[in-house]
Amino acid sequence: MDTDAKMTALHVPAGIVAAVVSFYLSNGSIAVLGKNQALGTFAGLVILLIVGNIAERLFGKEEVGGFRGWLWSGIVPFLFIWFVVWAILITSTTITP
């Protein structure tokens, strides 16, 4: 498996985890924090940076291709999965039968 596929395979599950964390932070599930969409967004971006650093250490900076390689193989899939799953979670809790 080439490095691009490994990067995507690492970032997609992290995007799902980021969506769940963002959902709990923005939904008001944590009573102390209340409904805070900005904190949910910040948490997702922090998770993205952590996963990017892990990927760079696992595969090496040269293998990843620097920021350009990380953009197309890591950031784009992460953001797509993160926003789609977060939107599904928010929508599924606001629809009433």
Side-chain angles (χ1 to χ4, degrees):
M1 190 182 319
D2 66 334
T3 306
D4 292 337
K6 290 178 185 177
M7 288 277 293
T8 303
L10 183 66
H11 280 79
V12 167
I16 295 170
V17 169
V20 172
V21 169
S22 296
F23 171 70
Y24 282 124
L25 290 174
S26 66
N27 192 30
S29 297
I30 302 173
V32 176
L33 300 175
K35 292 184 177 183
N36 195 345
Q37 286 83 15
L39 188 60
T41 304
F42 181 72
L45 292 175
V46 168
I47 292 172
L48 174 62
L49 289 174
I50 291 170
V51 172
N53 286 330
I54 290 171
E56 187 177 287
R57 290 188 178 150
L58 284 176
F59 307 125
K61 192 175 261 189
E62 295 81 26
E63 289 285 327
V64 171
F67 181 76
R68 184 175 178 157
W70 184 45
L71 175 67
W72 295 112
S73 299
I75 295 175
V76 171
F78 178 90
L79 289 178
F80 179 74
I81 295 296
W82 176 32
F83 289 138
V84 167
V85 173
W86 192 6
I88 289 171
L89 290 172
I90 288 174
T91 305
S92 66
T93 59
T94 57
I95 296 175
T96 56

